[in-house]
Amino acid sequence: MLINCSAYRDGHKLAEIPVEDISEYILLPDTFVWVALKDAAPAELAVMQEEFGLHELAVEDAMRGHQRPKIEEYGDTLFVVVKTVEPQGDELVVGEVDVFVGPHFALTSRQNAEHGFTDVRARAEREPALLRQGPAFVLYALMDAVVDRYFPLVEALEAELEAIEERIFIRGSQRKNIERLYALKRKALVLRHAVVPLMETVGKLHGGRVPAVCTGTDAYFRDVHDHLYRLNGTLDAIRETIGTAIQVNLSMVAIEEGEVNKKLAAWAAIFAVFTAFAGVWGMNFEHMPELHWRYGYAVALLVMALVAGFMHRRFKRAGWL
Amino acid sequence: MLINCSAYRDGHKLAEIPVEDISEYILLPDTFVWVALKDAAPAELAVMQEEFGLHELAVEDAMRGHQRPKIEEYGDTLFVVVKTVEPQGDELVVGEVDVFVGPHFALTSRQNAEHGFTDVRARAEREPALLRQGPAFVLYALMDAVVDRYFPLVEALEAELEAIEERIFIRGSQRKNIERLYALKRKALVLRHAVVPLMETVGKLHGGRVPAVCTGTDAYFRDVHDHLYRLNGTLDAIRETIGTAIQVNLSMVAIEEGEVNKKLAAWAAIFAVFTAFAGVWGMNFEHMPELHWRYGYAVALLVMALVAGFMHRRFKRAGWL
Amino acid sequence: MLINCSAYRDGHKLAEIPVEDISEYILLPDTFVWVALKDAAPAELAVMQEEFGLHELAVEDAMRGHQRPKIEEYGDTLFVVVKTVEPQGDELVVGEVDVFVGPHFALTSRQNAEHGFTDVRARAEREPALLRQGPAFVLYALMDAVVDRYFPLVEALEAELEAIEERIFIRGSQRKNIERLYALKRKALVLRHAVVPLMETVGKLHGGRVPAVCTGTDAYFRDVHDHLYRLNGTLDAIRETIGTAIQVNLSMVAIEEGEVNKKLAAWAAIFAVFTAFAGVWGMNFEHMPELHWRYGYAVALLVMALVAGFMHRRFKRAGWL
Amino acid sequence: MLINCSAYRDGHKLAEIPVEDISEYILLPDTFVWVALKDAAPAELAVMQEEFGLHELAVEDAMRGHQRPKIEEYGDTLFVVVKTVEPQGDELVVGEVDVFVGPHFALTSRQNAEHGFTDVRARAEREPALLRQGPAFVLYALMDAVVDRYFPLVEALEAELEAIEERIFIRGSQRKNIERLYALKRKALVLRHAVVPLMETVGKLHGGRVPAVCTGTDAYFRDVHDHLYRLNGTLDAIRETIGTAIQVNLSMVAIEEGEVNKKLAAWAAIFAVFTAFAGVWGMNFEHMPELHWRYGYAVALLVMALVAGFMHRRFKRAGWL
Amino acid sequence: MLINCSAYRDGHKLAEIPVEDISEYILLPDTFVWVALKDAAPAELAVMQEEFGLHELAVEDAMRGHQRPKIEEYGDTLFVVVKTVEPQGDELVVGEVDVFVGPHFALTSRQNAEHGFTDVRARAEREPALLRQGPAFVLYALMDAVVDRYFPLVEALEAELEAIEERIFIRGSQRKNIERLYALKRKALVLRHAVVPLMETVGKLHGGRVPAVCTGTDAYFRDVHDHLYRLNGTLDAIRETIGTAIQVNLSMVAIEEGEVNKKLAAWAAIFAVFTAFAGVWGMNFEHMPELHWRYGYAVALLVMALVAGFMHRRFKRAGWL
């Protein structure tokens, strides 16, 4: 689905143009065309391939989708794949933005991503001084937007981790904790798989040899790279902390089980003593003098209570009750 | 066993040729010979060695089999080893495709692989524009086919992992889960050992210095590399998730054991109380007034029932029953 | 908030100067301006941007804060981000110092950091021979101060770890130990995330290609790098030891639980024997000769005591009691 | 102990020569001397040092033994250390082969290695075309032999691992399994310490800059490197699988303990119910009507049996019995 | 404290010289001064700084101590820090040797190290051919001595590990084992932190670009590097084995607990059966015919004994007793 197809000159929008005119506009000097597609059908991409003269392999990748974040050079055209991550209920949904950047055009095609990039275009159009830098700036603006949207997600993971940590040493919450830790781990993994390859990828757009269309925009891509590096650091810390928390959870399970076992066993012991005494005085020997005492029964109950009380106190002191 | 031996010129099939004529055809300009063997006997490979002038060490490797995925240059000839992985019942079977690629020939020899590559040849023959690029394209087409066949296997692992994850917190399924996780881990390892060395290997066919026979087909091998990189990422994620799942499994085993222990111990406590009371009133003291009451027995049963009921409620509240 | 704004020539302080004059002073030969801000408002940074001609992206980073430690070159200006870590109660608070270093100025802006750097300025002013080396020396002095403040924190972690280790094999302290280990791990992670990226970063200021403003101060930055490297080594050792200690803790929990279980079960067994004997002699068979013996009861008690004593001794020897 | 000392020209054996003549033979054109020592005494090595002009440090290393696998260049001489691994009963014994390779000689000295290399020499002498390549070929042939002998050992580890895996989920075999896994891990470590440094080492003999004596034999050393790389891959897989298996073992221990606990507790509960009922009817209240019923006893036994039966069925269904 | 201060020419000792003359001697051709300090006071180091013209930062490091192993170039002077490790009772004590090496001097300053280096000096003086190579040889001789002293320590760790391994599957030794493993791990970590940075450091003294004072002594430092590499390999193996042993220990704890539990539960079951039977025959029903049989009691005891015997045999067979 075509979202927008406009031509820009010197950082200013010329006009929205029909798709058929693209191939003419991209020949004009100081002009570039910026096209945005959403969930593009193969036919739409085929048209774009022809208008922009895109490389067959890149277009195939864009059609198939499910690429990893990457940057590929085909002659003077860049093919960039970026992953969007969007929360949906309790899940993270991964989408994809494919960007083709040539000297005179930028074509973006997003799939499976709810949140569009009209705000990116609007902001770019408000700053002609920046947009004048051409398609590479469009690429930057889009990447920056995608990466900025990772931050609240990672912060949500951090918040969730902190919430779990507050309950990690609380008795009786271990089953819930391990479930939450596992869910968190999975989400962190989803984000990591969006962030890490993109970080490696953006690293190729600044410092060292940079693709021709990106020369002069080094500092921008270094900034994006830097944000990804920071996200990666946070995700690493989350990952390590989850790992430790899972280990700690196991220790806590074992510790709590031990505590309960001790408590139960202590009570069992107290009752076993009762039963043993009662058993003794329930024996049928003929000559058991105490059975005939006037206060034998009372004394017996007293003895049993005293022993039980003594045991209770000892167990209490040992910290078992 | 010889599967096919054909000569191609300008991307079009000339003819199937007898093995003895190979050494003549490979001298013709713009012509290359594409031979396919299956479970080749040493004698067959010896004939090929002579016809194509292959290097002794490479042929030895091909004879012995069980090589790791690799690419080796012998003069202007490439020797490439690729692993096939095929599902067979509940197991993954690893086979091998050895490819010799020279300026005028491509020789493929597969071992222990059910699924052949006639479809690859057929498709290549339908696209002369691509096949015209010569033996390097044959190598690409074959690699691409092998790698494409990894995807459904990796997806099957992901599906199995998800199926396990759905049961990971379900009571009583821990033994089954750990068995399935272990089996999954083994399969993931098999695939990893096909994918990782191949990825490193294909990395040498694009970017940087590329063997002479592969110049001009960079983009194709980058595409294969990219698929392998993606597979590797997915396998890494599977691996990490399995590791966490095994840890979580252990926590769940401990948690469930604790739950069962508590339940059993709670019931045991209730019965122990019964037994203790009964023991007391079963003692043989002469002077136990309540034994002579009219409703002594009924009161005793009531007391026992009340105590048991009280304990039951407390245990219920504590979440033990 | 402006803390200080002074001009220096040849290592000697000229004067405190008003902010508006900065742009003039930095044009004077052999002169540089050193400005210190604290929790700077956007407006203050905007003024600085204009006076010093700072790059927009760097200023944006400084405004937003929460950057990772890094060094970025914008033309002949360096933008450096360093993390401060300060203890606050039982927590570690992370602050940030942003430093802009040009050929004729050094601008430092700290956020969320209690402890200022007036001591650094004072010491630098006392050593004109060093301060003569210009803004790069200011950068060094500040980094050195920040890094030096990491040391007591890392040493506190080491001391805490040793304190835990002394209790790791002590019975009954496992719950406390695991809580302390987890808290320690978190603190170590906070420090690691300040130290590691800074170490990588400072590595770019000595050896190899060094930014122009830092030439001639190689040895100083190597010294800082070296301190960071040492901190990193210590943190790694702490991390590894915590990991092992958590594993050991789990073993200790299991061992102690086993010990308690054995003790309880042994006592239970002794009482069960009592009960069993008593039960037997409590049966109502008509012909149980021992019941009629004169000393039957005494013998019965003796037998029970002997058996219990025997069991007690055996359990004692087996190390269960 | 001197095993063999022969001179070769153009790939053919000239003669066995006395040690004193070595220094003359190695001056003849197209000639090289191949000496083999076993558990050489310092004196023997001293003679060799003089005859071949070996570097003092290398000879010291050879005398001391226990070197790690390595390759060192001393002028135009290579000093190579390779580890042999031989099974001895249930242990792996590590030996060492030190090889000095110069333009006109190859000196091999093996220590603590039962299995000699006469077969290597015999095969080399049967193939003059290869042996003509000089001392570098001798080095290759020897390395190839050593590495080839690793394969059956690694395969034995794989077989042992598979044997353990078949028993890993079998009830009651966990103690045996963990013992076998630990033993396996140790053996894998022994092999890894022979393979990994050698792999790094051989990597220096092909590709990139190669020592002068090895030029022209690149392909051979690449082949050895490749074998080592494959061994390493297999050892890595073994290592990872052992790690997982140990974790799984722990889960299995916990699961089985849980199963046994449930079974025992279930039986205990059934008997506790018997005892509780019997206790009740064993009380001495005067007015317990059922005690006087004609079939009271039978009914009581029946009730007890029914309750026990009911419990048995419920436990059976719950999978505890 | 000054230990020794001597001048050497052409590998021969000239004389012990007073500290004040150092600055003159180091100007003489073919002459170098070798000074050894122990626990040097700041004043002593200040004198040395002046006499030798040492760099301020290096001297500061030497004064402060607690540096990591490293090599730093200050002009044509090398500053080297090496860690000594000495056993003291059951602990490992870490000391430090700082070495300054210039074209005409070697200054060594050891701190917190009992074992001195007079033997190194004595041996060097006995071999003028080697000592003629100048201060770089002194550096080598000292490093070699320090590294050689690591070997017995690492071997002691290996021996301790083997001693633990022999007891790892022995019943009842798990608490002791885990304590020993933990202590071992800590010692291994201490050695690792002496070895690893030194290894990286010495790597800079051979191969590639080598500091000027060390040219020509490449082979010596490669030898030291090699020893460190070997130590590192052994320490890695120890570390990995400890890790596995700790995991195995946990499994063993669980297995043994399971065994004890089964044994106790089995005995408990046998006694519970006794008690249940006795309970039944202790009931007070009027009509319990067997109570009136002549041999009722004997039969009852027999039945109980038979049932107990049967259970005992079954438990025995199941491996629980």
Side-chain angles (χ1 to χ4, degrees), chain C residues 9-26:
Chain C
R9 179 173 301 158
D10 267 346
H12 293 281
K13 186 168 177 173
L14 285 182
E16 301 214 0
I17 62 172
V19 169
E20 310 83 68
D21 296 357
I22 290 176
S23 50
E24 291 149 39
Y25 271 88
I26 61 177

Side-chain angles (χ1 to χ4, degrees), chain A residues 164-216:
Chain A
I164 300 173
E165 284 183 323
E166 270 166 32
R167 301 188 56 78
I168 205 164
F169 295 112
I170 290 183
R171 263 169 253 268
S173 59
Q174 303 313 332
R175 174 182 264 271
K176 191 84 200 121
N177 287 345
I178 191 91
E179 289 184 14
R180 287 171 79 182
L181 282 168
Y182 191 74
L184 190 60
K185 172 93 185 199
R186 297 211 62 197
K187 283 188 192 169
L189 210 54
V190 168
L191 273 162
R192 240 176 85 82
H193 276 83
V195 166
V196 173
L198 188 56
M199 185 175 73
E200 290 168 12
T201 285
V202 177
K204 294 179 198 155
L205 296 183
H206 74 91
R209 196 195 70 85
V210 160
V213 290
C214 293
T215 39

